[in-house]
């Protein structure tokens, strides 16, 4: 979840009930990763004290308040990902795959230098892919099957280096953005083929995060946050987008990719000034509900709940409605400073 040092305690909160459930006030951390909504946390310290080394991964049980296991590495840990079967630990030039129950090491993936710790991981056990950068000169992605323990494919997604990527919940699609940040591409993992290209904007911007809607079929939406302080939403689910996709494929077969990207329909909307410009942010699509017409049973809109955390300490929750006519409606449901919900005696 977090990849930035903080001297504040870890807060585990239930945002549905607006109540904190656990606070760890022992020092600064660079990584905090939760296994779904369970009591298992993977935490990595910022190195301010020997027990919180950036080379040590601690698996922590919030129910008992105790450390379960620790794993030590030769270099700093840059990212951690988990699902019900696998634990993935990303270092700068190696990525380790563990059985999450026994913590037996299953494989070691040698990678190109991954100084940003970029990694995407699918929670689905039937399509349990790890995505990692595959080049130091282009925006290529390595897809690795973490259940079968072998390389699946490599996708040449962008001309410039990768800045962000995410896998859909079912592991079928991967979305990527380059350091230029003007184009976001979605590829079908099984065939390593491009399904969608979305133009975020004309001017370069750093993409901080990408998140698909949590559908086990075709995700309805894709959300991105950027250094401009905006939240971007892209529609994938409606027939209008499908028609645009088909025309794009035909055009893409006869003209260069850079031109066909520009001709892809936008299906895109922006919520401006969600965060201060330059402040890192991370957004997740928590829920998507489809709205049907009672007389025809056709899907006429989808409603998404989007949660966002900014690195200046704020939590925001948005509702987004997208109609089948590609009309977008945003509403900020709540916003609060995370530090104000931490008990004073925990700081």
């Amino acid at each position: 979840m977090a990849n930035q040092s903080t001297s504040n305690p870890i807060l585990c909160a239930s945002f549905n009930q607006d109540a904190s459930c656990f606070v760890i006030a022992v020092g600064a951390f660079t990584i905090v990763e939760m296994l779904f909504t369970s009591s298992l946390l993977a935490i990595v310290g910022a190195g301010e004290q020997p027990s919180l080394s950036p080379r040590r991964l601690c698996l922590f049980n919030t129910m008992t308040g105790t450390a379960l296991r620790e794993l030590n590495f030769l270099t700093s840990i840059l990212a951690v990902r988990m699902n019900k079967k696998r634990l993935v630990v990303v270092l700068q030039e190696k990525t380790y795959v563990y059985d999450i129950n026994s913590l037996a090491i299953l494989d070691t993936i040698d990678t190109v230098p991954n100084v940003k710790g970029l990694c995407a991981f699918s929670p689905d056990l039937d399509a349990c892919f790890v995505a990692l950068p595959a080049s130091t000169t282009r925006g290529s992605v390595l897809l690795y099957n973490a259940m079968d323990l072998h390389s699946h494919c490599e996708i040449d997604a962008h001309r410039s280096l990768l800045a962000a990527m995410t896998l859909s919940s079912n592991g079928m699609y991967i979305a990527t953005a380059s350091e230029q940040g003007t184009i976001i591409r979605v590829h079908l993992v099984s065939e390593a083929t491009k399904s969608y290209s979305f133009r975020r904007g004309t001017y370069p911007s750093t993409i901080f995060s990408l998140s698909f809607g949590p559908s086990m079929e075709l995700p309805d939406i894709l959300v991105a946050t950027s250094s401009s302080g905006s939240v971007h939403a892209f529609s994938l689910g409606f027939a209008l987008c499908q028609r645009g996709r088909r025309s794009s494929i035909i055009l893409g077969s006869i003209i260069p990719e850079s031109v066909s990207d520009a001709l892809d329909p936008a299906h895109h909307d922006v919520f401006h000034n969600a965060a201060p410009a330059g402040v890192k942010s991370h957004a997740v699509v928590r829920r998507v509900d489809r709205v049907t017409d009672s007389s025809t049973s056709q899907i006429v809109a989808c409603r998404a709940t989007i949660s966002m955390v900014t690195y200046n300490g704020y939590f925001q929750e948005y509702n987004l409605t997208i109609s089948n006519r590609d009309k977008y409606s945003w509403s900020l449901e709540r916003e609060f400073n995370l530090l104000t919900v931490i008990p004073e005696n925990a700081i």
Side-chain angles (χ1 to χ4, degrees):
M1 182 182 79
N3 283 286
Q4 177 171 305
S5 176
T6 172
S7 58
N8 296 314
I10 296 175
L11 169 69
C12 302
S14 173
F15 293 118
N16 290 329
Q17 288 79 35
D18 296 316
S20 62
C21 61
F22 193 81
V23 174
I24 309 172
V26 294
F29 299 89
T30 57
I31 296 172
V32 180
E33 188 81 9
M34 177 179 282
L35 177 61
F36 302 117
T37 55
S38 72
S39 60
L40 182 63
L41 289 183
I43 57 178
V44 178
E48 293 183 353
Q49 48 188 291
S51 62
L52 295 174
S53 168
R55 299 185 299 275
R56 178 179 297 156
L57 171 65
C58 177
L59 297 178
F60 195 90
N61 188 328
T62 60
M63 293 292 291
T64 62
T66 58
L68 301 175
R69 286 284 299 275
E70 289 185 347
L71 296 173
N72 293 286
F73 300 88
L74 295 177
T75 61
S76 294
I77 301 165
L78 301 179
V80 178
R81 300 290 185 267
M82 297 184 287
N83 66 15
K84 292 180 179 179
K85 293 289 186 179
R86 295 291 184 260
L87 167 69
V88 177
V89 181
V90 179
L91 310 185
Q92 183 167 314
E93 295 186 352
K94 291 183 182 294
T95 295
Y96 295 93
V97 181
Y98 292 86
D99 181 291
I100 199 169
N101 295 305
S102 66
L103 290 186
I105 186 167
L106 302 175
D107 201 2
T108 302
I109 308 168
D110 292 318
T111 65
V112 299
N114 183 10
V115 295
K116 297 177 183 176
L118 290 179
C119 177
F121 189 42
S122 169
D124 191 282
L125 300 182
D126 293 326
C128 184
F129 293 107
V130 181
L132 297 161
S135 173
T136 57
T137 59
R138 296 178 60 86
S140 298
V141 185
L142 168 68
L143 273 301
Y144 174 91
N145 189 315
M147 294 303 294
D148 296 336
L149 305 176
H150 66 78
S151 177
H152 173 71
C153 68
E154 187 173 313
I155 297 174
D156 192 18
H158 302 270
R159 289 190 177 90
S160 54
L161 295 177
L162 295 169
M165 55 185 171
T166 190
L167 282 157
S168 61
S169 297
N170 58 7
M172 290 180 60
Y173 294 91
I174 182 168
T176 58
S178 73
E179 290 183 343
Q180 188 172 5
T182 54
I183 299 291
I184 293 172
R185 295 194 173 103
V186 178
H187 285 78
L188 182 65
V189 171
S190 60
E191 300 176 11
T193 55
K194 186 179 71 175
S195 298
Y196 300 92
S197 287
F198 296 107
R199 182 167 290 280
R200 180 210 56 82
T202 305
Y203 298 101
S205 183
T206 301
I207 302 299
F208 289 140
S209 71
L210 293 167
S211 175
F212 282 109
S215 171
M216 294 310 292
E217 301 171 359
L218 172 67
D220 296 285
I221 67 170
L222 172 68
V223 166
T225 60
S226 71
S227 58
S228 66
S230 301
V231 183
H232 302 260
F234 306 90
S235 172
L236 283 75
F238 291 118
L240 179 61
C241 194
Q242 293 287 350
R243 288 198 297 271
R245 175 190 168 207
R246 287 195 292 270
S247 64
S248 169
I249 293 172
I250 295 171
L251 289 169
S253 66
I254 59 176
I255 61 179
E257 184 180 75
S258 59
V259 179
S260 66
D261 277 342
L263 292 174
D264 276 345
H267 305 293
H268 169 216
D269 198 62
V270 186
F271 189 90
H272 294 285
N273 302 316
V279 173
K280 193 172 181 181
S281 57
H282 190 97
V284 174
V285 184
R286 292 177 51 217
R287 177 174 176 173
V288 176
D289 296 313
R290 297 179 181 180
V291 181
T292 58
D293 186 304
S294 58
S295 59
T296 64
S297 297
Q298 292 183 337
I299 298 174
V300 296
C302 69
R303 292 177 182 152
T305 301
I306 301 167
S307 296
M308 186 172 83
V309 174
T310 64
Y311 278 55
N312 61 346
Y314 282 86
F315 172 86
Q316 299 172 343
E317 186 173 272
Y318 295 91
N319 280 345
L320 170 62
T321 300
I322 309 174
S323 74
N324 59 359
R325 296 180 181 272
D326 215 34
K327 301 297 184 182
Y328 292 70
S329 175
W330 297 79
S331 63
L332 177 61
E333 295 300 305
R334 51 182 170 164
E335 178 182 26
F336 53 85
N337 189 325
L338 289 167
L339 299 181
T340 64
V341 300
I342 298 176
E344 291 184 1
N345 59 6
I347 299 179

